[in-house]
Amino acid sequence: MSEEEFRRNLREWIKNNAPPSLAGKRILFDTVEFDNYEELRAWQRKLYEAGYLGITWPKEYGGQGLDPIYEAIAYEEFIRAGLPYGRSLGSIGLMVVAPAILNHGNEEQKRKYLPRILRAEDIWCQGFSEPSAGSDLASIKTRAEEKGEYFIINGQKIWSSYAHLANYMILLARTGEDRYRGLTMFIVDMKQEGIKVSPIQQITGKSEFNSIYLQNVIVPKSNIIGSIGDGWKVAMTVLNHERFAVGITLLFSAKISLEYLKERAKIKGISLDIEELEDKIEGLYSFYERLLNKLRKGNIIESESAILKLVASELLQSVYELAVIKFDLNEIMNEKWYIGMLSSRGRTIAAGTSEILRNLIGERILKLPK
């Protein structure tokens, strides 16, 4: 199937199947106000049944076996329609866990977990960041002690999205003293004894994030993704994939939000000086098209995903900040610009802070000294 045919079919499917309660979100962060989790799960199952989830995954695990370019097109079209895709309730399973298992997991893990992720039968959370190790992920202290055929894990994780709903967690823990080779990635059953989840109230008023406390949690060796000591390698696979997917979402959200900002400013009779902002967004879109060409040639997107995510997140924040500066309070509240303004700040932290991404770009792409 050609890209044009895939895009045309997808647009027609969206037109005929989008639930009115979920469609047309002008501001990406409207989804933080949507609490009907069962409807979100039903929507994800509908996407899966239509063949629009797991687009690049092998068919034997429930995917479509298509090239990555088709997944990028799906992100574009669902975001244009204001619909959840690859984010919200199923985001950790789809964007974080699946790449880890597909690239590093064993056959049993792939067959056990991947189809259930696609069908929204399992909700996952991510146990990476800690109170003293967020941006510096290699400094985590949560420890997994080997005891025969299992590990006993103790520690704390923070900023874990949907941990209060999750039945599984992908967890990075320390199994050795070496900064990088002393890390291992685990699959943890969230419903077992020894796990306590405490919601964190956000500035938006919601509590999507959580702290997770682990006390003598037992995890069998069969739940290791990769091998003991491979945790850093698995984490980097996850982060590259997550940054690319998040970057696409933020880029198109910035474009759509800026278009809407112009519409509302025209209605309100407000003049905007946005030429520079428009140029920056179009420039980033050109860079994104270069990445798509890499995908068409069968190449892998690695460190370039950091550029896409870094610039897109800061541009999106600029759009919402401009709206809050230019509009009156009624407009800000009625059109929910305040949600975007508050939530967009977190997008410069998630999947790597802007500071960390600048260091990564400097070291890996520009080859600057540390």
Side-chain angles (χ1 to χ4, degrees):
M1 182 187 304
S2 69
E3 293 178 30
E4 293 75 14
E5 184 181 1
F6 180 84
R7 191 184 296 273
R8 185 170 58 251
N9 291 345
L10 177 53
R11 286 179 176 176
E12 185 67 20
W13 186 89
I14 289 173
K15 179 182 176 181
N16 295 328
N17 291 276
S21 58
L22 293 179
K25 301 297 185 185
R26 291 277 193 165
I27 296 176
L28 168 67
F29 307 108
D30 271 2
T31 55
V32 304
E33 290 199 323
F34 195 84
D35 294 324
N36 190 336
Y37 295 122
E38 284 310 308
E39 185 170 357
L40 286 172
R41 292 179 85 151
W43 170 241
Q44 182 172 324
R45 285 193 292 270
K46 193 170 186 177
L47 289 174
Y48 162 69
E49 290 165 0
Y52 292 123
L53 277 185
I55 290 173
T56 64
W57 301 15
K59 291 183 178 181
E60 58 265 35
Y61 309 128
Q64 300 300 310
L66 298 176
D67 291 336
I69 187 67
Y70 293 98
E71 186 171 70
I73 291 171
Y75 271 103
E76 291 180 19
E77 294 304 323
F78 281 107
I79 295 166
R80 286 185 192 279
L83 288 162
Y85 183 76
R87 63 178 194 270
S88 193
L89 196 61
S91 60
I92 304 300
L94 292 165
M95 292 199 307
V96 176
V97 180
I101 293 178
L102 280 167
N103 288 281
H104 303 281
N106 58 42
E107 189 65 21
E108 181 182 354
Q109 291 169 346
K110 292 173 183 178
R111 295 193 179 278
K112 178 178 180 179
Y113 297 111
L114 294 177
R116 292 180 60 86
I117 289 173
L118 288 176
R119 296 191 297 261
E121 293 175 10
D122 293 326
I123 303 301
W124 288 74
C125 63
Q126 183 176 0
F128 280 22
S129 295
E130 298 181 4
S132 59
S135 297
D136 185 12
L137 187 59
S139 295
I140 65 167
K141 297 178 180 178
T142 294
R143 183 164 291 276
E145 184 179 358
E146 189 172 359
K147 294 287 186 179
E149 291 303 309
Y150 60 88
F151 282 82
I152 295 180
I153 301 180
N154 287 277
Q156 180 186 355
K157 297 295 180 177
I158 197 168
W159 309 120
S160 296
S161 300
Y162 305 111
H164 58 301
L165 303 171
N167 50 321
Y168 286 106
M169 170 171 57
I170 183 171
L171 172 76
L172 188 64
R174 184 159 296 284
T175 50
E177 299 308 316
D178 187 272
R179 180 171 168 81
Y180 298 105
R181 292 188 296 274
L183 300 173
T184 301
M185 195 73 74
F186 295 90
I187 295 170
V188 178
D189 183 347
M190 289 290 289
K191 303 306 179 184
Q192 65 182 297
E193 291 185 6
I195 296 178
K196 178 183 177 183
V197 178
S198 296
I200 300 171
Q201 188 171 34
Q202 299 152 227
I203 195 171
T204 59
K206 293 294 178 177
S207 297
E208 292 175 297
F209 297 124
N210 303 267
S211 289
I212 303 173
Y213 301 90
L214 302 105
Q215 184 174 9
N216 296 327
V217 174
I218 298 174
V219 178
K221 284 186 174 179
S222 59
N223 281 23
I224 293 174
I225 301 177
S227 301
I228 297 173
D230 282 347
W232 185 254
K233 180 169 64 175
V234 178
M236 292 305 100
T237 297
V238 165
L239 289 173
N240 278 333
H241 186 278
E242 183 183 15
R243 286 164 184 161
F244 183 59
V246 169
I248 296 174
T249 301
L250 298 180
L251 169 58
F252 279 88
S253 296
K255 285 174 67 69
I256 292 167
S257 297
L258 185 58
E259 290 168 3
Y260 191 48
L261 173 63
K262 290 165 64 177
E263 289 178 18
R264 296 303 303 173
K266 185 176 181 179
I267 292 171
K268 294 286 185 177
I270 296 173
S271 62
L272 297 173
D273 182 15
I274 57 172
E275 288 79 9
E276 183 178 353
L277 186 54
E278 288 180 311
D279 288 344
K280 288 180 178 179
I281 290 177
E282 288 308 311
L284 184 60
Y285 185 78
S286 296
F287 175 74
Y288 165 67
E289 289 186 317
R290 284 176 54 193
L291 298 186
L292 294 187
N293 285 331
K294 285 193 68 173
L295 291 178
R296 290 186 182 98
K297 295 175 182 177
N299 296 320
I300 297 174
I301 306 300
E302 294 183 332
S303 300
E304 304 102 310
S305 63
I307 299 175
L308 182 63
K309 189 271 170 178
L310 167 67
V311 180
S313 65
E314 295 188 350
L315 287 175
L316 183 65
Q317 184 173 308
S318 296
V319 173
Y320 289 127
E321 287 180 345
L322 182 61
V324 172
I325 291 171
K326 289 291 186 178
F327 292 136
D328 60 29
L329 184 59
N330 286 335
E331 169 74 14
I332 292 168
M333 300 304 291
N334 291 339
E335 296 298 324
K336 300 182 180 178
W337 291 106
Y338 72 97
I339 294 178
M341 188 273 290
L342 296 174
S343 297
S344 64
R345 294 180 178 274
R347 269 47 184 191
T348 62
I349 299 173
T353 66
S354 293
E355 292 78 10
I356 287 295
L357 295 184
R358 284 188 168 87
N359 285 341
L360 187 154
I361 292 164
E363 293 172 10
R364 298 188 186 177
I365 298 178
L366 300 178
K367 306 299 182 183
L368 299 176
K370 293 185 178 181

